[in-house]
Amino acid sequence: MPFNVEKIFENVTKKSIFLNKSVLQSDYTPETIPHREQQIKQVAKILACSLRLEKPSNLFIYGKTGTGKTLVVKYVLNELNKKAAALKIPLKTIYVNCKLKKVSDTEYRILAELISQLGADIPATGLPTDVVYKKFINIIDENKQLIIIVLDEIDEAVKKIGDAFLYNFTRLNSEMMNTQISFIGISNDLTFIDSLDPRVRSSLSEEELVFPPYNALQLKDILIERAKRSFKRSCVSSGVIEKIAALAAKEHGDARRAIDLLRIAAELAEREGKSKLTLEFVDKAIEKIERDKIVDLVETQPRHHQLILLSILNFFDTLKNKEQKVYTGDIYNRYYDLCKQLKLEPLTQRRVSDIVAELDMLGLINAQVISKGRYGRTREIKMTLPNSLILKIKSIIEQQIY
DNA sequence: CGAGATTCATGTGAAGTATACCTTTAGGCTTAA
DNA sequence: AAGCCTAAAGGTATACTTCACATGAATCTCGTA
């Protein structure tokens, strides 16, 4: 096979279909947010009174992932900050993502994060929680001002440490002379608010806003907007965007994943040196995402699950014809030998039977209970994965074992 | 020839066990006053 | 002195084993035509 590294690099520099790839990356903040005008308006209306130095209502926002919650909030706060700066209004906004590890562990850490965003510093550990509260109040209560605190993915934090800290937060206002605080909570979990303490619930969600998933038409507009910025002119075949939008809308309505799909399809096209993103690459991208999912699944399986899967795969390898069926007993023998070979203690048949059922649930194999009459009852195992994937999975497992 | 009994190989359920993981409690230690 | 941190104790979920029984069609058995 002719192999020319120089050529690969040439392809990258010359033929790139990307104008600016970062537009399709998940941390990109677009300038416009299509089909969220309604939500932007509502959030803006609720927060607008802060420009008259009045405390806005606390706001609670729900919606599934990829519906633009974080984006809308950040956008509105950004505009608000600009306006406030122009009008010389003492307004501060703080954004905290509760899902990040360093923040979400304890109430203490959330407070510490808030304080550090305000520019002050506190020790990483050692202080009593109420002292931290006092310090927090001291910092912000020095001057007359308004503070808006955004707690993103708040459900994650509550899952870990309970809702007591939210109660403390909502009562902060009564302890301060000058400053007033508003909260904006963002949650992916639609049932989250019901699990809260009623007192917290009523004070935190004075206003509520629900972000619905995008439909196919809206996703199309979003994708077109991004595509304009990220690809060179006429690098995308007609129908590509429509196809992705339709698929994403059907499955989840998640804009982030739709954009991921677009990016992966484009990357595949580029890697093949094509100057145009055609429909076939969308299919390939879907396949790739599916493959990656399966590879990930296999990688994270416990050792014995992997060994059993490997035994099954080995069987299908020796029996060239794919339609062949294999029975639990054969698998168990192979698995048993494999364990002996690796000096591992094999699991019992009982457990293996359950694990085979689990692998079936995960869609890695197709196993059905059948009766072979005089020759007993067993699971009939069939393979559904393509050959290339089988080989890949085998090498992954073998790597992990040795 | 056919109804019913038998049989095989493993499925399935219940209950018990070991282990890791999490929560709770008690006591010592750090920090602020 | 407050109250946080650490360590031990206790509790719980998970992954597995053991024991016991269920399953269900191919096959066998045996009575009958």
Side-chain angles (χ1 to χ4, degrees):
Chain A
M1 181 164 51
F3 189 78
N4 192 337
V5 176
E6 205 174 297
K7 207 159 201 178
I8 296 175
F9 291 149
E10 227 166 71
N11 278 344
V12 169
T13 49
K14 267 191 185 169
K15 282 193 174 174
S16 175
I17 58 178
F18 285 112
L19 196 62
N20 181 1
K21 196 160 144 186
S22 67
V23 173
L24 296 180
Q25 247 119 39
S26 54
D27 51 2
Y28 174 78
T29 313
E31 283 156 44
T32 58
I33 310 173
H35 299 291
R36 284 290 176 251
E37 296 84 5
Q38 199 67 32
Q39 280 77 10
I40 291 174
K41 253 189 228 163
Q42 285 180 24
V43 174
K45 256 186 213 163
I46 291 165
L47 298 182
C49 60
S50 62
L51 292 174
R52 293 194 305 264
L53 268 185
E54 290 166 21
K55 175 190 171 306
S57 300
N58 291 334
L59 172 62
F60 205 88
I61 296 178
Y62 329 76
K64 292 195 186 159
T65 49
T67 50
K69 301 179 298 292
T70 306
L71 221 49
V72 166
V73 169
K74 278 189 168 174
Y75 173 80
V76 174
L77 286 185
N78 199 12
E79 295 295 312
L80 196 64
N81 274 330
K82 274 192 221 161
K83 197 82 180 169
L87 295 172
K88 298 232 167 8
I89 289 174
L91 173 75
K92 272 191 186 152
T93 60
I94 305 176
Y95 173 88
V96 180
N97 189 335
C98 301
K99 203 177 181 178
L100 297 177
K101 274 258 164 69
K102 61 163 186 166
V103 179
S104 64
D105 274 17
T106 61
E107 178 177 7
Y108 183 95
R109 292 208 182 143
I110 291 175
L111 267 175
E113 178 67 19
L114 290 176
I115 291 175
S116 80
Q117 288 222 11
L118 286 165
D121 242 339
I122 61 157
T125 171
L127 298 182
T129 310
D130 69 327
V131 175
V132 184
Y133 268 108
K134 272 180 200 148
K135 180 152 189 182
F136 179 65
I137 290 169
N138 281 338
I139 291 170
I140 59 178
D141 206 23
E142 271 172 12
N143 314 304
K144 188 168 176 59
Q145 60 179 337
L146 265 176
I147 293 184
I148 298 175
I149 295 176
V150 181
L151 299 169
D152 202 351
E153 318 228 23
I154 196 172
D155 46 333
E156 296 288 329
V158 170
K159 246 182 241 159
K160 269 197 192 138
I161 56 178
D163 54 11
F165 79 98
L166 287 175
Y167 183 63
N168 292 336
F169 277 17
T170 54
R171 290 185 26 156
L172 278 176
N173 272 324
S174 59
E175 302 197 19
M176 289 180 294
M177 306 299 295
N178 300 315
T179 301
Q180 288 197 299
I181 302 180
S182 287
F183 288 98
I184 299 178
I186 302 179
S187 161
N188 292 323
D189 183 355
L190 299 164
T191 61
F192 167 68
I193 196 96
D194 297 328
S195 62
L196 287 180
D197 187 300
R199 287 169 304 179
V200 177
R201 189 192 313 169
S202 60
S203 67
L204 193 63
S205 60
E206 290 164 350
E207 299 273 357
E208 284 184 21
L209 215 50
V210 178
F211 280 48
Y214 295 108
N215 64 34
L217 287 175
Q218 294 168 339
L219 282 169
K220 186 180 137 194
D221 289 338
I222 293 168
L223 289 170
I224 286 175
E225 192 60 37
R226 295 281 183 112
K228 257 192 224 160
R229 290 164 195 280
S230 59
F231 297 122
K232 288 180 184 162
R233 276 184 155 273
S234 67
C235 273
V236 182
S237 298
S238 64
V240 167
I241 302 264
E242 285 78 0
K243 182 167 184 176
I244 294 175
L247 278 167
K250 195 172 89 188
E251 250 178 73
H252 39 67
D254 182 336
R256 190 181 310 159
R257 277 160 72 185
I259 292 167
D260 276 346
L261 182 56
L262 179 61
R263 193 192 68 242
I264 289 167
E267 279 171 359
L268 288 175
E270 186 179 59
R271 218 170 289 167
E272 289 198 15
K274 298 282 162 52
S275 56
K276 200 155 191 196
L277 173 54
T278 51
L279 276 174
E280 67 178 298
F281 288 107
V282 177
D283 292 327
K284 282 190 183 166
I286 292 169
E287 218 172 86
K288 178 175 159 45
I289 289 172
E290 190 59 30
R291 277 174 79 102
D292 288 352
K293 244 191 251 167
I294 289 177
V295 167
D296 205 57
L297 192 63
V298 171
E299 269 174 350
T300 54
Q301 287 300 305
R303 185 155 75 245
H304 283 285
H305 291 231
Q306 290 186 340
L307 287 173
I308 290 163
L309 183 59
L310 185 63
S311 309
I312 295 170
L313 294 180
N314 277 333
F315 236 107
F316 282 99
D317 217 33
T318 45
L319 305 162
K320 282 290 173 204
N321 44 343
K322 279 210 93 185
E323 288 304 302
Q324 194 65 42
K325 294 150 190 167
V326 166
Y327 305 109
T328 316
D330 308 330
I331 298 298
Y332 186 73
N333 290 337
R334 284 234 173 174
Y335 160 76
Y336 191 91
D337 292 344
L338 192 58
C339 283
K340 287 291 158 197
Q341 204 182 313
L342 295 168
K343 304 218 161 68
L344 286 168
E345 203 49 36
L347 299 176
T348 54
Q349 295 214 23
R350 179 70 189 79
R351 183 87 256 269
V352 171
S353 172
D354 281 349
I355 290 174
V356 169
E358 280 172 42
L359 292 175
D360 176 48
M361 291 290 284
L362 292 172
L364 294 171
I365 57 174
N366 186 323
Q368 259 191 331
V369 180
I370 56 150
S371 175
K372 290 193 294 168
R374 180 75 174 68
Y375 304 104
R377 221 163 99 90
T378 182
R379 279 203 173 81
E380 183 184 86
I381 299 168
K382 285 184 267 186
M383 184 52 55
T384 47
L385 302 173
N387 266 328
S388 57
L389 199 48
I390 291 180
L391 291 176
K392 176 133 195 197
I393 291 174
K394 274 174 70 172
S395 71
I396 288 170
I397 296 176
E398 275 158 13
Q399 244 177 46
Q400 289 204 5
I401 291 170
Y402 302 121

